[in-house]
Amino acid sequence: MGSREVLGQAARLASSGLLLQVLFRLITFVLNAFILRFLSKEIVGIVNVRLTLLYSTTVFLAREAFRRACLSGGAQRDWNQTFNLLWLTVPLGMFWSLLLGWVWLQLLEVPDPNAVPHYGSGVVLFGLSAVVELLGEPFWVLAQAQMFVKLKLFYTAVLVLCYVIYFTKLLGSSESTKQQTLPVSRMTDMLPSITRSRAFVNWKEAKLTWSFFKQSFLKQILTEGERYVMTFLNVLNFGDQGVYDIVNNLGSLVARLIFQPIEESFYIFFAKVLERGKDATLQKQEDMAVAATVLESLLKLALLAGLTITIFGFAYSQLALDIYGGVMLSSGSGPVLLRSYCLYVLLLAINGVTECFTFAAMSKEEVDRYNFTMLALSSSFLVLSYLLTQWCGSVGFILANCFNMGIRITQSLCFIHRYYRKSPHRPLVGLCLSPALLGAFALSGGITGISEVLLCCEQGWPARLAHIAVGALCLGMTVGTAFLTETRLIHFVRTQLGVSRLADKTL
């Protein structure tokens, strides 16, 4: 499969993931806005912070390294060994679920049963759902490796059931073109198998999995670090944890809707197009050119999206929180939290793109060296978040995240610069904007800031609507300037969307 075909499939994967993410997140967004009127901040804090942390930690530690290692393999491999390796995620998930469940029940502070009932049952159910989700891991990796765009489904039990039904139907159809290209011919080929003619697993993939596991453990601390600090150090009460989590979820909504599907899909693209650990001068030049063009365009897209969220988020944070959750969110520290998070989203957008390329191109040795940097970042984050929280409250978590994200971006940019140093390609120019576009962002920020002071948010709905209209006009001016100045990016987006639509018709 050529690099441009892989690019087309990666673009389809990102666009389909984006559509489903938007659909499900919008449903969740509406339901949460309704539920917030009937739940206490304490219950929100326990469920959204402590129990969700149990679930995400179990799943992340059990599968993240296996996913990255098995998706990095080439087409010519023994898939039975890969499936054997992937099935190890289930007992590993059971181990983490039992160990962490015991910690959550025995070592952490148990909330007041009158304020938060059924805490023990919640711990058991969240841990069980994590194990059930891991049953679908071999099917998920096979679907991702084959880039089955239309197979982006629900999770836990529904996820496993849908994968089993889909592959059973696909493998039973001898006329399917997809079935002829699959590395398996029947469902039993995906179950664990032991034969004397070959090793149980591919040891190269197993060693790479261990490297990614160490990296995943550190990355999990960086990703969920504030929840670990809140859970184990009790720097915030359950009510403050609830408010922080609501604002955190609202602020990261766009990051999860747009940036995460792009990062996951184009990591697969870069992993397939580039040979891991191989010098840029030794790669296929056509693949190098395509990868550089894609990386430049993704960086530009991430920068524009992040700046838009940052500039307009500062002026509309209080209004958004008031509409979403009422006075409980729009008063106190809520608006300051969301404004700070808007800056963090900009860093998230850039880091997602740079790291998806870096992790796809690094050799095993480079991944191991990067783990030491992640270890230092993890330690500094925990210390810094604790100190900043003592100084400025829950905003300290976001400031600590911004610091660590900046360090991670710097590490990835240095790797990309070294990687392309001896080639004619310069993808990092994607982080440069035209003076006209920078001026449009600055002007929009100033106008919307003045509008917020004059019109929002205690002067009734007519003033609020006027404030929204001002923002819409400024946004239109900024987007129009981007269309006129960033023609290469617009061409890239239009081309890939066109490829996606054309390819979808052939599936």
Side-chain angles (χ1 to χ4, degrees):
M1 183 181 294
S3 58
R4 297 192 179 277
E5 287 80 4
V6 176
L7 173 60
Q9 291 189 343
R12 295 200 308 274
L13 196 62
S15 60
S16 64
L18 175 60
L19 291 176
L20 286 176
Q21 287 270 15
V22 170
L23 176 61
F24 294 131
R25 294 297 181 182
L26 284 179
I27 294 175
T28 305
F29 181 83
V30 174
L31 291 177
N32 283 343
F34 175 77
I35 292 174
L36 285 177
R37 269 70 177 177
F38 303 95
L39 292 180
S40 66
K41 294 186 293 184
E42 288 73 20
I43 291 181
V44 173
I46 286 293
V47 174
N48 288 5
V49 176
R50 182 174 288 191
L51 295 183
T52 301
L53 181 65
L54 168 65
Y55 172 84
S56 65
T57 302
T58 301
V59 172
F60 197 93
L61 293 177
R63 79 180 182 191
E64 181 70 14
F66 291 84
R67 280 189 171 185
R68 288 192 177 274
C70 294
L71 285 175
S72 299
Q76 303 300 324
R77 66 166 119 176
D78 189 332
W79 272 93
N80 286 321
Q81 291 180 320
T82 300
F83 291 138
N84 289 341
L85 184 64
L86 288 169
W87 281 113
L88 294 178
T89 60
V90 177
L92 187 61
M94 293 179 179
F95 166 77
W96 284 116
S97 179
L98 291 173
L99 176 61
L100 295 176
W102 178 81
V103 172
W104 257 241
L105 289 172
Q106 300 298 325
L107 301 184
L108 296 181
E109 176 190 358
V110 177
D112 183 359
N114 295 323
V116 184
H118 312 299
Y119 171 73
S121 300
V123 170
V124 174
L125 292 176
F126 271 71
L128 179 62
S129 65
V131 175
V132 172
E133 180 171 347
L134 294 171
L135 293 173
E137 197 60 21
F139 305 99
W140 185 92
V141 170
L142 179 59
Q144 293 294 106
Q146 299 296 314
M147 289 191 169
F148 289 175
V149 176
K150 296 182 178 179
L151 194 59
K152 300 283 284 186
L153 303 168
F154 304 117
Y155 52 94
T156 57
V158 177
L159 174 70
V160 178
L161 181 61
C162 289
Y163 273 126
V164 171
I165 293 175
Y166 181 88
F167 280 107
T168 301
K169 181 180 178 181
L170 180 63
L171 294 173
S173 174
S174 58
E175 299 179 356
S176 172
T177 56
K178 287 183 180 179
Q179 192 275 342
Q180 297 171 6
T181 61
L182 285 176
V184 294
S185 58
R186 56 185 183 273
M187 285 293 295
T188 54
D189 291 339
M190 300 184 67
L191 298 177
S193 60
I194 302 177
T195 60
R196 296 182 178 179
S197 60
R198 64 172 183 269
F200 181 69
V201 299
N202 184 318
W203 287 108
K204 182 179 179 181
E205 286 183 340
K207 292 178 181 178
L208 187 60
T209 300
W210 174 241
S211 296
F212 277 125
F213 176 80
K214 292 181 288 185
Q215 182 189 86
S216 299
F217 183 81
L218 300 175
K219 185 177 179 180
Q220 175 69 1
I221 296 177
L222 291 176
T223 304
E224 302 280 8
E226 66 272 12
R227 286 188 168 89
Y228 288 115
V229 173
M230 282 188 283
T231 299
F232 290 96
L233 299 182
N234 297 321
V235 294
L236 300 176
N237 59 47
F238 292 133
D240 290 338
Q241 290 181 25
V243 173
Y244 173 83
D245 185 76
I246 294 169
V247 174
N248 178 63
N249 288 333
L250 184 61
S252 64
L253 185 63
V254 175
R256 295 195 302 267
L257 288 178
I258 300 177
F259 304 140
Q260 185 176 348
I262 292 176
E263 178 184 353
E264 291 177 350
S265 301
F266 282 94
Y267 169 79
I268 298 174
F269 163 73
F270 289 127
K272 285 182 173 291
V273 169
L274 302 175
E275 295 186 43
R276 179 180 294 277
K278 196 172 183 180
D279 190 81
T281 57
L282 302 178
Q283 304 271 3
K284 294 180 180 179
Q285 292 307 303
E286 180 186 358
D287 293 346
M288 285 291 296
V290 173
T293 301
V294 171
L295 180 57
E296 177 185 342
S297 300
L298 290 178
L299 286 173
K300 183 83 70 176
L301 184 63
L303 180 60
L304 288 177
L307 276 176
T308 301
I309 294 169
T310 301
I311 296 298
F312 289 91
F314 267 77
Y316 290 88
S317 293
Q318 185 176 0
L319 178 60
L321 290 176
D322 192 63
I323 295 174
Y324 185 62
V327 178
M328 182 183 75
L329 296 182
S330 61
S331 61
S333 63
V336 178
L337 278 172
L338 189 53
R339 291 187 182 104
S340 303
Y341 207 97
C342 289
L343 175 61
Y344 180 52
V345 167
L346 171 61
L347 300 177
L348 275 177
I350 298 174
N351 181 72
V353 174
T354 56
E355 282 196 347
C356 86
F357 177 88
T358 300
F359 292 153
M362 276 182 171
S363 65
K364 176 185 177 298
E365 292 74 20
E366 288 172 322
V367 171
D368 287 335
R369 287 197 299 268
Y370 190 82
N371 288 337
F372 287 102
T373 303
M374 297 284 279
L375 177 61
L377 287 176
S378 301
S379 303
S380 65
F381 170 78
L382 294 177
V383 175
L384 189 62
S385 61
Y386 178 78
L387 294 177
L388 290 176
T389 305
Q390 297 294 320
W391 174 49
C392 55
S394 53
V395 178
F397 286 121
I398 301 177
L399 297 179
N401 272 314
C402 288
F403 173 80
N404 281 276
M405 197 60 63
I407 299 297
R408 289 168 63 178
I409 291 173
T410 302
Q411 292 286 326
S412 297
L413 291 179
C414 290
F415 174 84
I416 295 171
H417 174 73
R418 292 194 303 268
Y419 189 84
Y420 280 102
R421 182 173 48 193
K422 297 180 181 180
S423 75
H425 309 292
R426 296 294 180 266
L428 294 183
V429 299
L431 293 176
C432 300
L433 297 179
S434 66
L437 187 53
L438 289 174
F441 275 118
L443 182 62
S444 296
I447 294 175
T448 54
I450 295 173
S451 174
E452 181 184 30
V453 173
L454 298 178
L455 301 174
C456 190
C457 286
E458 300 177 357
Q459 303 182 39
W461 272 104
R464 293 183 178 186
L465 293 175
H467 180 48
I468 294 174
V470 171
L473 291 174
C474 291
L475 180 61
M477 176 194 67
T478 304
V479 172
T481 305
F483 267 87
L484 294 175
T485 58
E486 303 297 339
T487 54
R488 289 188 61 182
L489 174 63
I490 301 303
H491 175 73
F492 171 81
V493 173
R494 286 177 174 173
T495 301
Q496 294 315 309
L497 288 178
V499 170
S500 302
R501 288 193 297 267
L502 178 61
D504 280 337
K505 295 178 181 178
T506 64
L507 291 178

